[in-house]
Amino acid sequence: MVKIPSGAVPPRLCVIEKLNGETEYGYNLHAEKGRGQFVGIVDANSPAERGGLITGDRIFAVNGHSIIGENHKKVVERIKANPNRCEMLVISEEGAKLYQEHNIPITLDLPNVERVSQKVSS
């Protein structure tokens, strides 16, 4: 069993769904050597914002598949596999560094993963 350091921010499994004919998820996907894939700007009132994505989040899995070591094109393919719904395992940059310092890989198997479902504003 993995021992999560006290005060560690839990990774979030964000469920991003397009509603009522929305055509975009509403965020930019970026990649950098040594940093991996991460979330750029998140549009206000977008499926990405409702699903819990935050600008700067590092992405570790898409639709149940680890994306560690995958190239940008492959990650885009995974995101587009379902045209209306995507699940992404993410964590803040600071959170990712803490797990890395403790040699804890960020995976869907961690006991503290929080599932974030749609927040629809009324």
Side-chain angles (χ1 to χ4, degrees):
M1 174 101 176
V2 175
K3 176 142 176 43
I4 306 295
S6 65
V9 176
R12 302 182 321 278
L13 182 61
C14 297
V15 179
I16 305 139
E17 291 184 277
K18 296 176 189 172
L19 306 173
N20 306 322
E22 290 172 317
T23 58
E24 302 291 331
Y25 284 122
Y27 71 96
N28 295 45
L29 178 66
H30 293 281
E32 284 180 12
K33 261 199 180 351
R35 187 173 174 201
Q37 309 287 326
F38 63 98
V39 177
I41 301 290
V42 175
D43 298 338
N45 303 313
S46 67
E49 184 183 64
R50 290 191 306 267
L53 288 185
I54 298 169
T55 299
D57 277 343
R58 295 219 4 228
I59 306 167
F60 287 86
V62 174
N63 293 329
H65 299 276
S66 171
I67 62 159
I68 303 307
E70 291 189 342
N71 65 33
H72 192 71
K73 182 179 177 188
K74 181 64 178 175
V75 175
V76 170
E77 282 176 24
R78 290 197 186 283
I79 292 167
K80 291 183 172 182
N82 179 333
N84 295 309
R85 185 175 191 275
C86 180
E87 290 188 4
M88 299 174 78
L89 181 66
V90 301
I91 193 168
S92 67
E93 185 73 32
E94 298 77 28
K97 285 178 182 169
L98 180 68
Y99 283 78
Q100 187 175 12
E101 287 166 7
H102 288 85
N103 294 316
I104 300 170
I106 297 173
T107 67
L108 291 162
D109 297 329
L110 287 174
N112 65 334
V113 171
E114 286 184 353
R115 187 177 178 89
V116 180
S117 33
Q118 294 285 66
K119 298 177 202 149
V120 179
S121 51
S122 45

